[in-house]
Amino acid sequence: MANERILLVLSNPEVRQIAEDQTLSPEGYQVSVATSCEEAERMAANTRPDIMVIGDQLEDGDHLELAAKILEQRPTMPVIVYSHLGTRTVPLEVVRLGVIDWLSPPLRSDRLLASVQRGLKRRKHWQDWLDIEARRQTGPLLQRLDELEALAQVGQSVTAHLDIDRVLKNALEAAVSLTGAEEGSILLYDEDTSDLYMRAALNFQDEFVSTFRLETEDSLAGEVFHSGEPKVINEQTPQKIKTAYLVHSLIYVPLKAHGESIGVLGVDNRESGRGFEDRHVTLLSAIADYAAIAIENANLYSHTEVERSKLERILRQIQDGVIVLDASGQPTLINRAARKALELGEADFSNWHYSRVFTHEGLIDVIEGKNEDPYRVELELAGGRTYNANVTEIPDIGRVVTLHDITYLKELDRVKSDFVTAVSHDLRSPLTAILGYVELITRAGEVNQQQSMFIDRVQTSVKNITDLINDLLDLGRIEVGLDENIERVPLASIIGYSMDGIKHLADQKGQDLSVNASGEVPAVVGNPIQLRQMLDNILGNAVKYTPNGGTITLRTGQEDGQVYLQIVDTGPGIPQESQARIFDKFYRANNVPEEIQGTGLGLAIVQSIVENHRGRIWVDSKVGEGSTFTVVLPVTE
Ligand code: ADP
């Protein structure tokens, strides 16, 4: 049963009744009705009828104008006119308008039905013709679209997969299907043998693929490889590519990476005589570009992989311990040496947080940057071995901890200290004897002025050596750590004794020596002798290096559970580059006047004492203005 949509534009109710109720609706058509031009236009746009019947005598416009307007918008829709106009004029106008039929009153059902059926038939013809025509026009476009889609897929597979075999297979499948070829192959250049081998193939026999080799001289593929230009064969008689490899038609396009030929992509027909077109060459060239990128990527990847595994082997085998932690604190590498040093065995620690992997507090502290030196710490590890642990932050990777075994250095240091202590000790007695006897010389009888000067020099030199020996012995003792003599030490009295002890020297140089204490000076836990020596050394330096008439102030106070001592002088200052080194043994800055004697050990002793008391020391100084030594010690609860 017909269910096409029919729009009737009829003003006369009786005519409407005949058309709709008596004729079209009973035939199963979907009928809608408009009574004016305006309504007709709106409904034509909304209901998109398959056919329209337009009657005359419409109140708001001319029916033929309406028909013309509708046909302009939808030229393939059949329009039938029902009009009272004379039979002569109307058919001519009807023909000009493109209206398909004209009915004149009185309206007869059979004529209307026949006219509608004819109109619908005509409409179907038009529609079918349009479809065929559209397909004819869009066919090549659709084919191009398919080709583009296939190319895009090859492109996608290049970026989506690292598996080179899979990518090349995809590329060959696209090449064969887009060109309608029987088989396809990718030939790559082998630098060692200077010929082409089959890296990937589609529809070739496996054995043929594995044994295939083509010389680049004197072969079609070689010509394409060398010239970088595509080649097409379309022949009726099969052409020889290689013994027993005859083809009717073939395309070879070069594979190029960075402008250099690396191989050839080919498709061919051995059985059918079907030829190839120019557009196939274009398509194949595009696929070849993708294939070349894939091969290049794979080469780069395998090169990176080789380098990476080389690096990993080096890191694993290296004598120093290496631990790599990712940004979340999980180890991505703990090499053999680190496992041995930290006694970690062979366990797999991936997905473990470092705080679970390592038990050594010092190591965890340095990883977390909690140490005084946030990047370095000495660790006493298994078997009495000492390691220097360094932590390095590496952006985008995490943290790397290296463990360097410094046990031999520690041992050397100990042997050296023992030796120095022993020698110093043994030297002290003869030196005391020398000093004693030199003193006796003057008592034993008259000495002349020159002899007296020599005796003075001997005494000064012996005193210098004795100072050095005393410093060395002190240092040796202090470096061992805090001895048993630990007590609650009221710092105020230490300061008092030290100031008293140095006062006469400051007076001799006309210096202003004073203490400036803010609040009560607290007590610390420690060794009173060492603390006194620390203060003596810093104050001694201040007096020694500050010129006559200068000022030396000792400031002290308490802050955040710590006590600080600041010795401020108006001396020569310490050059910037020397400030980090003045606490080293035997180091003396180059701006000290030659006549000011010293061993270069005083501040090394001070630093050891401060460390023994879990304190900190630093210097702020400007050449020509003076120096400020600051010592901070924890206050006793
Ligand atoms: P020294 O026996 O030479 O005084 P120290 O270890 O006590 O050895 O001091 C190391 C060096 O630090 C000194 O040689 C000097 O260059 C510098 N120094 C120490 N204190 C002062 C100071 N108050 N003013 C200027 N330089 C100083």
Side-chain angles (χ1 to χ4, degrees):
M1 206 175 168
N3 65 351
E4 282 93 345
R5 293 182 299 272
I6 302 180
L7 177 58
L8 301 178
V9 190
L10 298 169
S11 56
N12 184 328
E14 282 159 30
V15 177
R16 274 204 311 261
Q17 218 233 336
I18 298 171
E20 184 182 5
D21 300 342
Q22 293 175 16
T23 313
L24 299 172
S25 291
E27 285 297 317
Y29 294 112
Q30 296 178 38
V31 182
S32 353
V33 180
T35 55
S36 65
C37 289
E38 191 243 314
E39 197 182 3
E41 276 186 61
R42 187 162 30 82
M43 287 177 73
N46 292 344
T47 60
R48 302 188 71 75
D50 296 311
I51 189 165
M52 272 175 88
V53 179
I54 302 176
D56 59 1
Q57 295 172 348
L58 298 171
E59 61 189 20
D60 60 344
D62 178 56
H63 65 298
L64 292 183
E65 271 173 30
L66 173 66
K69 209 167 176 186
I70 297 277
L71 279 168
E72 206 174 277
Q73 288 161 3
R74 298 185 57 196
T76 59
M77 185 179 65
V79 173
I80 300 164
V81 169
Y82 170 69
S83 176
H84 286 82
L85 290 172
T87 48
R88 284 193 181 187
T89 45
V90 172
L92 197 61
E93 284 194 54
V94 164
V95 171
R96 281 187 190 144
L97 278 176
V99 168
I100 62 137
D101 204 0
W102 166 67
L103 303 174
S104 57
L107 185 66
R108 278 177 37 196
S109 278
D110 56 344
R111 283 199 59 202
L112 174 64
L113 195 60
S115 180
V116 163
Q117 282 168 346
R118 234 185 356 263
L120 287 172
K121 206 164 166 192
R122 171 93 59 92
R123 183 183 171 280
K124 188 164 180 321
H125 280 317
W126 282 344
Q127 202 62 54
D128 289 351
W129 175 81
L130 263 181
D131 284 352
I132 292 166
E133 203 46 26
R135 233 174 287 145
R136 200 169 61 79
Q137 296 288 341
T138 54
L141 280 179
L142 286 176
Q143 194 182 359
R144 295 281 175 288
L145 204 65
D146 283 348
E147 289 169 359
L148 282 178
E149 217 161 86
L151 281 181
Q153 270 170 15
V154 177
Q156 246 169 25
S157 89
V158 170
T159 44
H161 306 295
L162 275 174
D163 177 358
I164 178 72
D165 293 318
R166 189 162 159 196
V167 176
L168 295 184
K169 187 168 166 264
N170 288 353
L172 278 180
E173 276 171 358
V176 164
S177 84
L178 291 178
T179 56
E182 289 166 6
E183 52 192 24
S185 60
I186 288 174
L187 311 179
L188 289 189
Y189 182 64
D190 183 341
E191 279 185 6
D192 295 335
T193 55
S194 308
D195 54 14
L196 293 162
Y197 67 99
M198 216 176 256
R199 176 65 184 79
L202 192 70
N203 302 340
F204 278 93
Q205 278 183 356
D206 286 351
E207 202 192 325
F208 183 83
V209 173
S210 58
T211 55
F212 184 93
R213 287 267 164 185
L214 259 193
E215 303 218 342
T216 58
E217 305 307 325
D218 227 20
S219 72
L220 199 64
E223 201 184 314
V224 172
F225 172 75
H226 285 305
S227 69
E229 296 296 329
K231 200 95 195 163
V232 186
I233 294 182
N234 282 321
E235 300 284 345
Q236 282 312 309
T237 18
Q239 299 289 302
K240 193 167 96 181
I241 299 300
K242 198 180 150 122
T243 324
Y245 180 9
L246 302 170
V247 298
H248 281 289
S249 51
L250 169 146
I251 307 176
Y252 273 145
V253 293
L255 289 171
K256 288 184 184 174
H258 304 296
E260 292 269 314
S261 279
I262 57 166
V264 174
L265 165 67
V267 292
D268 60 62
N269 287 311
R270 289 210 235 186
E271 303 291 329
S272 87
R274 241 180 95 183
F276 292 116
E277 298 164 25
D278 284 351
R279 64 186 186 87
H280 291 143
V281 179
T282 316
L283 279 173
L284 222 53
S285 298
I287 295 175
D289 287 346
Y290 282 131
I293 293 171
I295 292 164
E296 184 76 347
N297 282 354
N299 287 346
L300 278 177
Y301 179 71
S302 81
H303 180 72
T304 321
E305 214 14 54
V306 168
E307 289 303 311
R308 196 193 67 80
S309 82
K310 228 194 265 176
L311 205 66
E312 192 174 315
R313 272 213 314 281
I314 294 171
L315 282 180
R316 290 201 182 283
Q317 301 297 327
I318 207 166
Q319 288 298 320
D320 281 347
V322 179
I323 299 163
V324 181
L325 302 174
D326 66 15
S328 68
Q330 292 176 355
T332 50
L333 175 95
I334 305 178
N335 78 347
R336 199 175 42 82
R339 282 178 182 272
K340 192 167 163 220
L342 296 163
E343 294 182 301
L344 294 176
E346 295 295 320
D348 177 11
F349 294 110
S350 34
N351 300 330
W352 283 44
H353 191 254
Y354 67 80
S355 54
R356 282 177 64 211
V357 181
F358 309 126
T359 48
H360 203 289
E361 249 177 58
L363 179 59
I364 292 179
D365 283 353
V366 76
I367 291 174
E368 293 174 357
K370 285 190 190 154
N371 273 15
E372 192 174 318
D373 178 344
Y375 303 110
R376 201 195 81 84
V377 74
E378 271 181 26
L379 300 176
E380 299 287 338
L381 295 180
R385 306 202 72 80
T386 309
Y387 284 83
N388 184 22
N390 275 294
V391 177
T392 315
E393 298 265 356
I394 303 183
D396 300 332
I397 290 185
R399 278 160 289 182
V400 174
V401 185
T402 52
L403 299 172
H404 181 60
D405 190 343
I406 53 165
T407 314
Y408 71 101
L409 288 177
K410 284 278 159 194
E411 184 58 19
L412 210 64
D413 206 32
R414 193 188 59 73
V415 171
K416 190 194 71 192
S417 300
D418 286 355
F419 172 76
V420 170
T421 311
V423 172
S424 314
H425 201 266
D426 291 350
L427 277 177
R428 216 155 46 167
S429 319
L431 282 174
T432 317
I434 293 172
L435 263 191
Y437 283 111
V438 170
E439 261 171 32
L440 284 179
I441 293 176
T442 46
R443 295 199 202 155
E446 274 286 306
V447 287
N448 64 25
Q449 206 184 349
Q450 202 178 20
Q451 285 168 330
S452 166
M453 193 184 77
F454 290 160
I455 288 170
D456 272 356
R457 293 221 177 136
V458 171
Q459 278 177 327
T460 310
S461 297
V462 173
K463 189 182 164 301
N464 284 347
I465 300 176
T466 315
D467 282 351
L468 176 64
I469 286 171
N470 285 339
D471 278 354
L472 282 172
L473 286 173
D474 284 347
L475 194 59
R477 261 197 311 274
I478 289 161
E479 277 185 341
V480 172
L482 273 184
D483 55 26
E484 254 85 281
N485 201 359
I486 293 176
E487 55 193 69
R488 199 161 175 277
V489 187
L491 264 192
S493 49
I494 299 278
I495 293 171
Y497 289 132
S498 207
M499 293 294 275
D500 286 349
I502 203 80
K503 193 172 178 323
H504 70 283
L505 285 178
D507 288 345
Q508 272 173 20
K509 294 181 78 175
Q511 292 167 334
D512 177 12
L513 179 68
S514 64
V515 176
N516 179 353
S518 81
E520 200 179 312
V521 188
V524 296
V525 167
N527 179 319
I529 297 169
Q530 285 191 10
L531 287 171
R532 167 81 196 269
Q533 186 166 11
M534 171 193 83
L535 210 49
D536 282 354
N537 284 9
I538 305 176
L539 278 171
N541 277 348
V543 170
K544 183 165 77 169
Y545 291 110
T546 303
N548 293 355
T551 309
I552 293 134
T553 315
L554 189 154
R555 292 195 217 134
T556 177
Q558 200 174 340
E559 234 175 67
D560 300 333
Q562 294 181 315
V563 55
Y564 68 87
L565 297 168
Q566 265 183 339
I567 295 90
V568 189
D569 67 41
T570 57
I574 301 159
Q576 186 67 36
E577 65 278 9
S578 298
Q579 289 178 16
R581 301 193 55 196
I582 51 170
F583 298 99
D584 292 349
K585 288 169 199 164
F586 301 111
Y587 184 83
R588 307 198 72 208
N590 57 11
N591 69 329
V592 296
E594 223 171 87
E595 65 278 8
I596 301 184
Q597 302 284 335
T599 61
L601 286 173
L603 287 180
I605 292 174
V606 167
Q607 190 174 41
S608 284
I609 294 174
V610 173
E611 279 171 5
N612 282 348
H613 288 80
R614 292 188 292 120
R616 283 181 301 134
I617 180 166
W618 67 91
V619 66
D620 298 295
S621 181
K622 225 173 183 177
V623 172
E625 289 183 15
S627 310
T628 300
F629 283 84
T630 307
V631 177
V632 177
L633 299 170
V635 174
T636 317
E637 288 302 320

